């Protein structure tokens, strides 16, 4: 049975630029959905009813048409930040046919001579400008899909504020159409105001002196975060994130998030990683809001409240980090109960009371305990000596199906610890 829905990618050259299969699909459709700009590109001879997307955007009217042949118009390649990808998540593969046109990023790469596989693409359509911050590295090439005609000027201001004023910017308007235009300049000298709403920005990132150099590895410098001292310090943070082991698409609960450093670095590990920061302290909530934007993960969800009550109703996590609150009754139990099978729970403690709670929990559920003791060389008179930081007790366990006994046995086996003497 042929697909009832065809998604047609259309460029700025309109109907004339479409191939034969795309034209035939439009000629045979009973109804065509799309944005007003795309629908206006169609010739009058097409008999299909034309429906502009509702505002706010809603697929329900389209999905109700499934008894007849339907077309959807989308910009360029519908599977690149487009409605095609949205529909593919809603429909079985045999119900959907996609006929792509060259994407704006493909056209931009061709105009600039940039190998496409070496360029990162970031969409700001419906996303915060701060999303770009995660990709600002000296020498990086980035394509930015603009939200509107004001995006280039706003992006230039952001680059200046982040220490990337020397970045070369190329704004490409109406790619592939008769009105195509290119505007070049440096971010710190950008004077162009509004440009065409349909534009893409190409960045050749250049850091100025003093710009933050943020590595791709976990363990960002402590001064990359605003905090009041409630911060998992750099080396401990790197060890903690290694135990949490972020993987694409997984969700982390950062319980007692403080400055949000663990959740932020979890999300920086991969664009598909998600995190929820749970924090009761009002000032620290402000820190989290600042840090998530400054470090390029504005999608970090902040839940203002205290665990375990604040955990109710949250989506089940694939990993949980408890940075504060292990001694609060019910926190460990609530986190463990909500954790998905195969999920990882990591908790850090500094106090004897916190360590005792983690040791008791290990007796119930298995897992590993690790003592982290770090020291820094610091001045002592005319010499230097080691200043010991407070030792950290790190607990790690993987939740497995089969009940407490099976979980304890498997976690003990994973830790490769000798059995207790009889």
């Amino acid at each position: 049975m042929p697909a009832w829905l065809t998604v047609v990618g259309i460029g700025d050259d309109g109907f004339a630029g479409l191939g034969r299969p795309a034209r035939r699909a439009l000629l045979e459709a009973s109804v065509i959905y799309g944005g007003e700009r795309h629908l206006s590109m169609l010739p009058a001879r097409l008999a299909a009813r034309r429906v502009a997307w509702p505002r706010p955007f809603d697929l329900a009217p389209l999905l109700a048409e499934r008894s007849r042949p339907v077309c959807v118009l989308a910009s360029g390649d519908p599977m690149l930040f487009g409605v095609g990808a949205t529909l593919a998540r809603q429909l079985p593969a045999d119900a959907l046919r996609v006929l792509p046109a060259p994407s704006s990023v493909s056209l931009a790469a061709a105009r600039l001579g940039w190998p496409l596989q070496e360029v990162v693409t970031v969409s700001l359509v419906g996303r915060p400008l701060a999303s770009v911050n995660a990709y600002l590295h000296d020498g990086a090439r980035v394509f930015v899909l603009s939200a509107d005609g004001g995006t280039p000027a706003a992006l230039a201001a952001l680059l200046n504020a982040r220490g990337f004023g020397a970045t070369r910017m190329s704004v490409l308007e109406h790619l592939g159409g008769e009105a195509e235009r290119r505007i070049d300049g440096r971010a710190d000298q950008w004077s162009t105001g509004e440009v065409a709403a349909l534009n893409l920005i190409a960045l050749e990132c250049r850091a100025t002196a003093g710009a933050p150099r943020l590595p791709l590895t976990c363990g960002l410098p402590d001064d990359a975060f605003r905090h009041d001292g409630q911060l998992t310090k750099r080396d401990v943070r790197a060890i903690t994130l290694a135990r949490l082991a972020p993987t694409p698409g997984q969700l982390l609960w950062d319980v007692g998030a403080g400055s949000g450093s663990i959740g932020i670095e979890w999300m920086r590990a991969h664009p598909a990683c998600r995190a929820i920061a749970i924090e009761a302290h009002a000032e620290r909530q402000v820190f989290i809001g600042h840090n998530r934007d400054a470090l390029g993960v504005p999608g970090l969800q902040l839940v203002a409240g205290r665990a375990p009550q604040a955990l109710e109703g949250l989506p089940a996590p694939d990993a949980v980090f408890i940075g504060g609150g292990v001694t609060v009754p019910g926190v460990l139990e609530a986190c463990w109960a909500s954790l998905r099978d195969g999920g990882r729970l990591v908790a850090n403690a500094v106090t004897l009371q916190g360590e005792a709670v983690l040791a008791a929990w290990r007796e119930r559920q298995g897992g590993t305990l690790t003592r982290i003791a770090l020291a820094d060389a610091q001045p002592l008179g005319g010499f230097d000596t080691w200043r010991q930081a407070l030792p950290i007790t790190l607990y790690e366990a993987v939740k497995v199906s089969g009940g407490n006994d099976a979980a304890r046995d498997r976690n003990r086996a994973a830790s490769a610890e000798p059995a207790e003497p009889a």
Side-chain angles (χ1 to χ4, degrees), residues 27 33 92 118 133 195 205 213 222 231 333 343 352 354 361 400 403 421:
L27 285 166
Y33 280 76
E118 298 174 7
N133 286 334
V195 302
C205 296
R213 303 297 178 104
D222 292 345
L231 172 75
E333 290 81 359
L352 290 174
W361 185 261
V400 293

Side-chain angles (χ1 to χ4, degrees), residues 5 41 43 81 96 110 139 141 246 250 286 305 329 360 364 366 398 400 409 414:
L5 178 61
M41 296 177 174
F81 296 105
L96 179 67
R141 285 176 167 175
Q250 291 199 329
V286 175
R364 292 172 55 187
V398 176
V400 293
D409 292 344

Side-chain angles (χ1 to χ4, degrees), residues 343-363:
R344 303 166 300 287
L345 186 146
V346 176
N348 289 352
V350 177
T351 66
L352 290 174
Q353 290 78 10
E355 184 176 283
V357 169
L358 293 180
W361 185 261
R362 177 172 172 268
E363 287 300 309

Side-chain angles (χ1 to χ4, degrees), residues 73-244:
L73 290 176
S75 294
D77 185 347
M79 302 304 289
L80 181 70
F81 296 105
V83 70
T86 304
L87 287 166
R89 289 189 285 266
Q90 300 271 344
L91 296 170
D94 60 357
L96 179 67
R97 180 173 62 146
V98 179
L99 302 175
S103 67
S104 58
V105 297
S106 294
L107 293 172
R111 303 293 188 268
L112 296 166
W114 290 3
L116 191 54
Q117 71 273 14
E118 298 174 7
V119 186
V120 173
T121 300
V122 184
S123 176
L124 296 182
V125 180
R127 296 173 175 85
L129 186 66
S131 303
V132 176
N133 286 334
Y135 305 97
L136 299 183
H137 303 282
D138 192 40
R141 285 176 167 175
V142 182
F143 284 148
V144 180
L145 306 181
S146 288
D148 53 38
T151 301
L155 181 56
L158 179 143
L159 291 166
N160 270 312
R162 298 293 297 170
F164 283 83
T167 295
R168 295 290 305 174
M169 296 176 57
S170 295
V171 175
L172 299 150
E173 300 176 332
H174 292 288
L175 278 161
E178 293 183 359
E180 182 174 320
R181 183 174 72 135
R182 174 174 166 178
I183 308 167
D184 295 307
R186 274 175 54 130
D188 56 5
Q189 299 170 3
W190 194 262
S191 58
T192 306
E194 284 278 329
V195 302
L198 187 64
N199 74 85
L200 176 148
I201 310 162
L203 305 178
E204 284 193 279
C205 296
R206 292 290 180 269
T208 53
R213 303 297 178 104
L214 300 179
L216 296 174
T217 54
C218 59
L220 295 178
D222 292 345
D223 60 10
F225 302 92
R226 285 187 185 174
H227 61 92
D228 60 358
Q230 291 297 312
L231 172 75
T232 303
K233 300 299 192 293
R234 182 180 193 172
D235 296 309
V236 175
R237 192 181 335 122
I239 295 170
T240 300
L241 284 158
R243 300 297 184 95
L244 286 167

Side-chain angles (χ1 to χ4, degrees), residues 336 365-368 397-399 406-415:
W336 188 257
Q365 300 291 355
T368 62
V398 176
K399 184 176 180 180
R408 182 170 58 251
D409 292 344
R410 294 186 196 183
N411 279 315
R412 283 193 184 282
S415 69

Side-chain angles (χ1 to χ4, degrees), residues 193-393:
E194 284 278 329
V195 302
L198 187 64
N199 74 85
L200 176 148
I201 310 162
L203 305 178
E204 284 193 279
C205 296
R206 292 290 180 269
T208 53
R213 303 297 178 104
L214 300 179
L216 296 174
T217 54
C218 59
L220 295 178
D222 292 345
D223 60 10
F225 302 92
R226 285 187 185 174
H227 61 92
D228 60 358
Q230 291 297 312
L231 172 75
T232 303
K233 300 299 192 293
R234 182 180 193 172
D235 296 309
V236 175
R237 192 181 335 122
I239 295 170
T240 300
L241 284 158
R243 300 297 184 95
L244 286 167
T247 56
Q250 291 199 329
L251 172 66
L252 170 76
W253 283 2
D254 184 0
V255 180
S259 65
S261 62
I262 293 291
I264 288 169
E265 292 217 44
W266 168 280
M267 290 186 65
R268 282 174 60 89
H270 191 275
C273 286
R274 300 167 294 134
I276 301 174
I278 298 95
E279 177 54 54
H281 193 285
E283 185 179 9
R284 291 170 193 158
Q285 293 164 15
V286 175
F287 291 149
I288 292 170
H290 167 83
N291 292 333
R292 67 183 176 186
D293 286 352
L295 295 170
V297 289
L300 173 72
Q301 181 182 345
L302 173 59
V303 172
R306 190 178 303 279
Q309 293 81 6
L311 307 178
E312 295 178 7
L314 299 182
D318 302 287
V320 175
F321 173 64
I322 307 175
V326 294
T327 59
V328 176
V331 168
L332 270 168
E333 290 81 359
C335 290
W336 188 257
S338 298
L339 189 64
R340 295 181 185 275
D341 281 347
R344 303 166 300 287
L345 186 146
V346 176
N348 289 352
V350 177
T351 66
L352 290 174
Q353 290 78 10
E355 184 176 283
V357 169
L358 293 180
W361 185 261
R362 177 172 172 268
E363 287 300 309
R364 292 172 55 187
Q365 300 291 355
T368 62
L369 287 173
T370 303
R371 174 65 62 86
I372 304 172
L374 300 170
D376 294 321
Q378 295 183 10
L380 178 65
F383 300 92
D384 295 305
T385 190
W386 293 108
R387 297 287 187 189
Q388 200 80 24
L390 291 173
I392 304 291
T393 299

